Amino acid sequence: MDYTVSSKQPAQLKVDCLVVTLNKGAETLPAALPEETRALISDCVKDGDFKGSKHQTLLLQRPAGLAARRLLLVGTGSDAPLNVVAFLQLAASVAKGVASTGAKSAAWWLGNIEVKEQDGAGVLREAARAVADAGYRYDIYRGDAAPAPALKRFTFLSELPAAQAKKAVAAGTAIAAGMALAKDLGNCPPNVCHPDYLVEQAKALAAAYPALKLKTLSEKQAEKLGMGAFCSVARGSERDGQIMIFEYQGGKGDPVALVGKGITFDTGGISLKPGASMDEMKYDMCGAASVFGTVKAVCELGLPINLVAVVVAAENMPDGRASRPGDIVRTLSGQTVEILNTDAEGRLVLCDALTYVQQKYEPSAVVDIATLTGACVIALGAHAQAVYANDAELAQALLVAGDECGDRGWPMPLWDDYQEQLDSPFADMANIGGPKAGSITAACFLSRFTKEVSWAHLDIAGTAWVSGGKQKGATGRPVPMLTRYLMNLAGQ
């Protein structure tokens, strides 16, 4: 898809479909539209064909006064400025409405849209991101896949200076490209997407961008380094675990580090999960997928920062070499862990990766991303990812970034009061803290490996994918939050 910007008036643009959004009631019509076009819309409103209700669409052929062949009206359902989330949903409806036509070219006039706490560049960036993201499809394994939409070019009409508008659209589409990569990896079936496959994808990503370098660690290498927690999870599978380290150099100073959990399939190990919905445990690598996607977005944007991104990948399987409840393992940090539940494996692979990235790179900040706990889904549902941090400034930076792009997080407590739930009579700690506050105690576990660095943990178990039915699939979150956070660091 070709995404462009134009400063032309809506009546002048020769496209197959022009999109205009109207507020609830559709009483105030944009002065930028010709008089005959406004009269046409007024008649549709008077006749009850269009009311401006939320996501309502009306397609008009050969509209009077326009050079466009079609006019698509889309309702905002509001008579007040939209928040970012509502605007993203509106943009998705715009994209869906255009895709349902036979239009090969389309344009969306943004001149009458207000979004809370967003300037013109922000509106344009998020519009481009949402429209591009709405076109995502994953149907490579379907024999009855629907034909691709006819649309080839999408233009955003904006009064911003050309260079600023072009930069905003490029940023939005770069983030959407990162989300698409994260979705592709998350949706990929687990018999295809295993640790070695992720290494192949990492090599392909590094080959695509000169500023990106890749290092890998095999399971054997990790064992020699002393990553006993990671290896305790990986050894239960016939497929070796793998660790990938991306190095992106675009600026000066210590790097920011991202660490993603990549359990490519999670049976629970010896602590076997129930069979219902176990197919969705292919999504237990969505933290890793979001790291891939964020790295791609950063490379596309060419951000002037230094970044190191670690993907720690393994399958959690219950064979004869798998860890047992009661086993004790020694982590790379030297601390020991009593494994009380082998289904609390994500924190085991992460803790060694967190130690590794601190030892090798001395980052200015570390953010880990993981589909870590079902408790987080119970606490926050699918709307916000949990944000834990030992640094209030880092937590706030992530929360602000999420608010700016509609990929929201929510602050969670990381009080010492919870730490005692991880006490073990035989090791330095247990890998679970009992049935209470499960997401918090998981974060407390990770905090024991990040005491000397500014660190945040994103539990994305509720936001990384949509469960069940025809809508099931990876969401690409939190690529927007992470990319926006890094853009803010870079002053963009």
Side-chain angles (χ1 to χ4, degrees), residues 238-449:
E238 291 184 355
R239 300 185 185 276
D240 285 347
Q242 300 284 350
I243 298 174
M244 292 137 269
I245 306 102
F246 294 104
E247 297 175 355
Y248 170 85
Q249 292 188 332
K252 297 180 179 179
D254 294 332
V256 175
L258 304 180
V259 179
K261 171 190 170 185
I263 300 298
T264 57
F265 194 77
D266 183 16
T267 67
I270 297 298
S271 306
L272 193 67
K273 290 179 179 289
S277 299
M278 193 191 283
D279 62 291
E280 294 187 9
M281 287 301 96
K282 71 177 185 177
Y283 295 117
D284 208 21
M285 47 70 66
C286 281
S290 73
V291 169
F292 269 88
T294 303
V295 168
K296 181 178 179 66
V298 166
C299 290
E300 285 285 322
L301 292 165
L303 292 185
I305 60 171
N306 289 337
L307 176 70
V308 57
V310 180
V311 169
V312 55
E315 288 183 322
N316 188 22
M317 302 292 282
D319 85 347
R321 297 169 62 234
S323 295
R324 297 149 294 218
D327 283 0
I328 294 177
V329 296
R330 186 174 298 278
T331 68
L332 181 59
S333 71
Q335 300 175 93
T336 56
V337 179
E338 182 184 14
I339 300 174
L340 298 182
N341 189 318
T342 64
D343 194 24
E345 84 298 329
R347 64 202 72 181
L348 294 176
V349 301
L350 283 173
C351 71
D352 278 343
L354 288 167
T355 301
Y356 176 85
V357 78
Q358 291 173 76
Q359 290 179 350
K360 298 296 183 181
Y361 294 94
E362 298 182 352
S364 59
V366 180
V367 181
D368 77 70
I369 311 99
T371 51
L372 206 62
T373 65
C376 186
V377 184
I378 300 301
L380 296 177
H383 299 292
Q385 44 247 354
V387 178
Y388 296 90
N390 63 9
D391 181 336
E393 187 174 338
L394 175 58
Q396 186 63 17
L398 289 165
L399 292 166
V400 167
D403 286 341
E404 289 176 349
C405 65
D407 186 13
R408 296 174 296 189
W410 190 255
M412 299 287 280
L414 197 62
W415 303 331
D416 288 342
D417 310 58
Y418 293 101
Q419 290 283 357
E420 65 182 22
Q421 291 180 231
L422 296 170
D423 287 350
S424 164
F426 305 113
D428 294 326
M429 70 195 84
N431 76 325
I432 58 172
K436 296 180 180 180
S439 179
I440 299 173
T441 55
C444 286
F445 179 93
L446 296 175
S447 74
R448 298 188 178 200
F449 301 86

